[in-house]
């Protein structure tokens, strides 16, 4: 896996590889820490082709590893998909355990990465890659799929020690191994990025979806956005103007290629504008993570075979407040590279995490 630091224009400053690239490792999430460093979550394979474990790494501000930890059970396939830099100085990871019939699990550690507690949540099946965030009350909000295979988008609120407080499911039928996200909003409610399966004639299509709830999980509204034959909402956040930005991708049967999509909405989820990344429809573009920039624009991280990359490369794109593409960058296109998460740093640059294959 890699950790890459770029400046405000997306120009690479440094990149660090860690984990075991030969055996197989992947970084799925990165957060900044109060000491100016970074914490990374992902999956680690001790032996090529073997089982994977939850992976946690803490680095300094230059990407040098301070500690690495693996959490897992022999014989299980496990991977951490999100990480929280907790208010007590420790860290919390959420990921999947087992295959399609498995569950979501949260592991909480102290500041040195030693496990404090772990809980599994049968309410969230492991085929939908779960997400989490710490909430203003010191607990956590979890999101995933209720039921293996087809199921409903589900929020689970847990206390600071991982005990379930409430569970709410929403009539947004899901199916497949995909990302989704949850963020707490300034009104202490939540916004979820996901997708909805819709039957259209003899075809089943999907739409990008935003779900907004109150603090107790009560549904406030659901909005979906139609594009192509298959569309997936992957990440979303509330923006400084009170609206939302949603990113993901869609597949159009007309050209047979996945396209990244960024959708800006108003406070009730009504679409304001949308932007497609990659006008060349022969190239692959997938967006997995979005952050608001200090100038009111947005940065999106993902995968591309475009933007002059010689192969599959990690992507970072800057979008203006009005949806115009400001710049795009592809990183490590000489290998197969993917960027799954981006965070804004204190110097107005960005930190990306993902994986690289030879």
């Amino acid at each position: 896996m890699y950790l890459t630091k770029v400046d405000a224009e997306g120009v690479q400053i440094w990149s660090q590889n860690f984990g075991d690239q030969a055996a197989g490792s992947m970084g799925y999430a990165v957060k900044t820490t109060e000491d100016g460093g970074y914490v990374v979550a992902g999956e680690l394979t001790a032996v090529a082709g073997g089982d994977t474990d939850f992976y946690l790494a803490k680095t300094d501000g230059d990407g040098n590893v301070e500690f690495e930890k693996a959490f897992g059970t022999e014989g299980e396939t496990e991977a951490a998909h999100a990480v929280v830099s907790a208010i007590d100085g420790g860290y919390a990871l959420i990921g999947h355990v087992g295959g399609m019939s498995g569950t979501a699990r949260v592991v909480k550690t102290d500041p040195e990465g030693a496990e404090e507690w772990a809980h599994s949540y049968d309410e969230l099946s492991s085929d939908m890659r779960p997400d989490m965030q710490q909430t203003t009350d010191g607990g956590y909000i979890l999101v995933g799929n209720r039921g293996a295979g087809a199921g409903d988008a589900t929020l689970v609120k847990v206390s600071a020690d991982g005990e379930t407080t409430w569970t709410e499911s929403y009539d947004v039928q899901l199916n497949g191994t995909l990302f989704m996200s949850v963020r707490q909003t300034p009104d202490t409610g939540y916004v979820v990025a996901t997708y909805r399966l819709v039957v259209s004639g003899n075809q089943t299509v999907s739409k990008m979806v935003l779900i907004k709830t109150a603090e107790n999980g009560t549904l406030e509204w659901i909005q979906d956005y139609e594009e192509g034959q298959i569309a997936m909402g992957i990440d979303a956040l509330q923006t400084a103007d009170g609206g939302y930005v949603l990113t993901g991708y869609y597949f159009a049967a007309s050209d047979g290629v996945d396209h990244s999509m960024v959708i800006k909405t108003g406070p009730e989820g009504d679409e304001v504008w949308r932007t497609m990344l990659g006008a060349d429809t022969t190239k692959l573009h997938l967006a997995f993570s979005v952050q608001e920039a200090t100038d009111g624009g947005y940065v999106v991280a993902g995968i591309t075979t475009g933007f002059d990359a010689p192969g599959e490369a990690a992507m970072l794109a800057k979008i203006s407040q009005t949806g115009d593409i400001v710049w795009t960058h592809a990183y490590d296109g000489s290998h197969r590279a993917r960027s799954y998460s981006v965070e804004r740093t204190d110097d107005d640059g960005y930190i990306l995490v993902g994986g690289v294959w030879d």
Side-chain angles (χ1 to χ4, degrees), residues 8-346:
E9 301 301 317
V11 177
Q12 183 173 310
I13 298 172
W14 52 256
S15 188
Q16 297 275 23
N17 290 332
F18 47 97
D20 190 333
Q21 184 173 323
S25 62
M26 183 68 66
Y28 289 122
V30 61
K31 297 292 183 185
T32 57
T33 55
E34 287 190 357
D35 63 1
Y38 308 102
V39 61
V40 173
E43 64 179 53
L44 182 68
T45 306
V47 179
D51 298 323
T52 59
D53 292 328
F54 276 37
Y55 176 79
L56 175 70
K58 172 69 176 66
T59 79
D60 65 17
D62 294 317
N64 301 304
V65 174
E66 296 177 341
F67 67 76
E68 298 175 280
K69 300 287 183 177
F71 308 93
T73 304
E74 186 174 353
E76 291 279 14
T77 299
E78 301 167 87
H81 297 292
V83 64
V84 169
S85 187
I87 57 177
D88 65 0
Y91 307 100
L93 304 89
I94 190 170
H96 73 262
V97 178
M100 294 287 284
S101 59
T103 61
R105 178 178 294 170
V106 173
V107 176
K108 174 68 174 64
T109 80
D110 69 12
E112 303 305 316
E115 183 177 322
E116 293 181 331
W117 54 258
H119 287 289
S120 293
Y121 300 91
D122 293 336
E123 305 96 320
L124 304 177
S125 71
S126 68
D127 61 326
M128 178 64 71
R129 299 178 180 185
D131 189 28
M132 73 182 298
Q133 188 182 41
Q134 190 158 37
T135 51
T136 53
D137 63 2
Y140 303 92
I141 189 73
L142 322 178
V143 70
N145 183 14
R146 189 182 188 102
D152 290 329
T154 299
L155 287 177
V156 178
K157 179 67 175 69
V158 304
S159 63
D161 57 3
E163 298 298 329
T164 298
T165 304
W166 54 256
T167 299
E168 291 286 346
S169 292
Y170 309 96
D171 187 17
V172 179
Q173 192 177 53
L174 312 171
N175 190 27
T177 306
L178 297 158
F179 289 90
M180 62 195 308
S181 74
V182 62
R183 307 277 183 106
Q184 190 167 34
T185 49
D187 65 359
T188 68
Y190 306 102
V191 62
V192 174
T194 183
Y195 72 102
R196 182 200 299 270
L197 293 179
V198 179
V199 177
S200 177
N202 60 357
Q203 270 192 327
T204 299
V205 300
S206 62
K207 300 180 180 183
M208 298 172 71
V209 170
L210 273 181
I211 301 172
K212 176 66 174 68
T213 80
E215 184 178 15
N216 63 359
T218 300
L219 178 66
E220 294 182 344
W221 49 259
I222 296 178
Q223 292 277 9
D224 56 37
Y225 310 92
E226 186 172 3
E227 183 63 60
Q229 184 176 4
I230 301 173
M232 307 289 175
I234 297 176
D235 195 18
L237 56 84
Q238 189 164 30
T239 52
D241 62 3
Y244 300 88
V245 62
L246 169 67
T247 194
Y249 70 92
Y250 74 92
F251 172 84
S254 58
D255 55 43
V257 178
D258 291 314
H259 304 277
S260 294
M261 181 66 72
V262 181
I263 296 175
K264 179 68 177 70
T265 81
E268 301 300 318
D270 298 317
E271 184 175 328
V272 177
W273 52 255
R274 64 173 60 193
T275 295
M276 181 181 75
L277 292 174
D280 184 346
T281 57
T282 66
K283 302 296 185 180
L284 168 74
H285 303 277
L286 298 177
F288 292 115
S289 181
V290 64
Q291 287 290 326
E292 192 165 18
T294 53
D295 64 2
Y298 312 97
V299 291
V300 176
I303 310 166
T304 185
T305 58
F307 307 142
D308 298 321
E312 185 178 292
M315 171 192 76
L316 188 68
K318 176 69 182 301
I319 312 295
S320 74
Q321 286 179 292
T322 55
D324 298 316
I325 298 173
V326 179
W327 48 253
T328 58
H329 288 283
Y331 308 97
D332 214 345
S334 60
H335 302 270
R336 292 179 61 205
R338 297 182 175 188
S339 178
Y340 284 114
S341 180
V342 62
E343 285 285 309
R344 194 174 71 206
T345 53
D346 289 340

